[in-house]
C-alpha cells in the first residue's frame, strides 16, 4: 500500500510541478508541448520540451527513474538518478530484436557504451546539472531518434522510484 501511495505521489508531482527556470528558457526557444499536465493526459508526443521536463524531474530526485518508450515499437531508454548523475540505458538488440541495423553504429557515434554482456543494454552516464541546461534531453532525444522515433510521434512515460525492466 505504501509503495503505490509513493508512486502516485511521485506521478502527481511530476505531472503538476512547474518546470525549473531553465526549462522555461528552453520552452521560450521552442513552442513544443510539455510532458507535464493532468493525469488524464495519457498520450505524450516526442519533443525536446517533453524530454527536458522528464529529465529535469529525474535529475532532481535521488533514486528516481524514468522509462521512455516508443509507442508503436517498444524500444526504450531508461534514466536513473545516481550520485554521479543520470545513468541512461538504451535497449539492446538482445532485448529488442527489431532494432534497426544502423542503430548500434549511431549509438556508438553518440558516445553510448555497447552492452558488456549479451543481455545488457547500451549505457551512458550524463553528468549532474545537464538536465537544467537541456543537454541531457538532447542526449536522450538523439538516442531515441537512432531507434527511429520521429519528432511528434507518440511516446509512453513511466516515472517512479526503481522501475522494473
Amino acid at each position: 500500500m505504501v509503495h503505490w501511495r509513493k508512486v502516485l505521489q511521485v506521478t502527481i508531482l511530476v505531472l503538476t510541478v512547474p518546470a525549473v527556470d531553465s526549462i522555461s528558457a528552453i520552452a521560450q526557444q521552442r513552442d513544443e508541448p510539455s510532458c507535464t499536465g493532468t493525469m488524464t493526459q495519457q498520450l505524450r508526443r516526442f519533443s525536446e520540451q517533453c524530454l527536458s521536463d522528464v529529465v529535469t524531474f529525474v535529475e532532481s530526485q535521488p533514486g528516481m527513474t524514468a522509462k521512455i518508450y516508443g509507442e508503436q515499437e517498444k524500444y526504450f531508454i531508461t534514466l536513473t538518478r545516481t550520485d554521479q548523475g543520470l545513468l541512461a540505458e538504451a535497449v539492446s538488440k538482445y532485448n529488442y530484436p527489431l532494432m534497426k541495423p544502423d542503430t548500434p553504429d549511431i549509438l556508438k557515434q553518440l558516445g553510448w557504451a555497447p552492452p558488456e554482456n549479451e543481455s545488457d543494454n547500451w549505457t551512458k552516464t550524463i553528468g549532474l546539472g545537464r538536465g537544467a541546461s537541456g543537454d541531457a534531453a538532447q542526449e536522450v532525444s538523439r538516442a531515441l531518434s537512432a531507434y527511429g522515433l520521429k519528432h511528434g510521434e507518440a511516446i509512453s512515460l513511466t516515472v517512479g522510484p526503481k522501475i522494473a525492466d
Side-chain angles (χ1 to χ4, degrees):
M1 176 82 173
V2 173
H3 173 70
W4 285 106
R5 187 177 310 145
K6 185 173 183 177
V7 171
L8 181 59
Q9 289 171 342
V10 168
T11 303
I12 291 170
L13 179 65
V14 81
L15 296 176
T16 60
V17 168
V20 293
D21 291 336
S22 61
I23 292 176
S24 297
I26 293 169
Q28 291 171 2
Q29 293 173 0
R30 302 173 188 252
D31 189 22
E32 295 182 332
S34 170
C35 280
T36 59
T38 64
M39 290 182 68
T40 58
Q41 293 175 321
Q42 296 297 318
L43 185 61
R44 305 290 184 218
R45 298 288 175 183
F46 175 45
S47 72
E48 295 257 341
Q49 181 59 51
C50 174
L51 293 180
S52 185
D53 292 343
V54 172
V55 169
T56 300
F57 177 75
V58 171
E59 187 178 57
S60 71
Q61 303 294 317
M64 191 59 58
T65 301
K67 200 168 198 176
I68 305 157
Y69 296 88
E71 186 65 29
Q72 290 184 348
E73 298 179 44
K74 296 302 180 187
Y75 46 79
F76 63 86
I77 292 179
T78 304
L79 298 170
T80 303
R81 166 74 190 302
T82 68
D83 291 339
Q84 293 74 38
L86 294 172
L87 173 61
E89 288 190 45
V91 68
S92 66
K93 178 127 178 111
Y94 179 85
N95 294 311
Y96 178 61
L98 300 175
M99 180 186 281
K100 295 177 177 156
D102 62 340
T103 299
D105 292 333
I106 295 170
L107 290 173
K108 281 181 195 174
Q109 291 172 359
L110 295 172
W112 289 74
E116 291 182 16
N117 298 309
E118 185 178 83
S119 62
D120 290 345
N121 290 319
W122 291 80
T123 58
K124 186 169 192 169
T125 300
I126 303 170
L128 284 176
R130 293 188 57 206
S133 69
D135 291 346
Q138 289 175 355
E139 295 273 358
V140 174
S141 177
R142 287 190 283 260
L144 287 167
S145 294
Y147 287 90
L149 190 64
K150 296 190 181 0
H151 186 72
E153 287 185 342
I155 59 173
S156 294
L157 300 173
T158 305
V159 180
K162 297 182 182 180
I163 296 171
D165 288 332

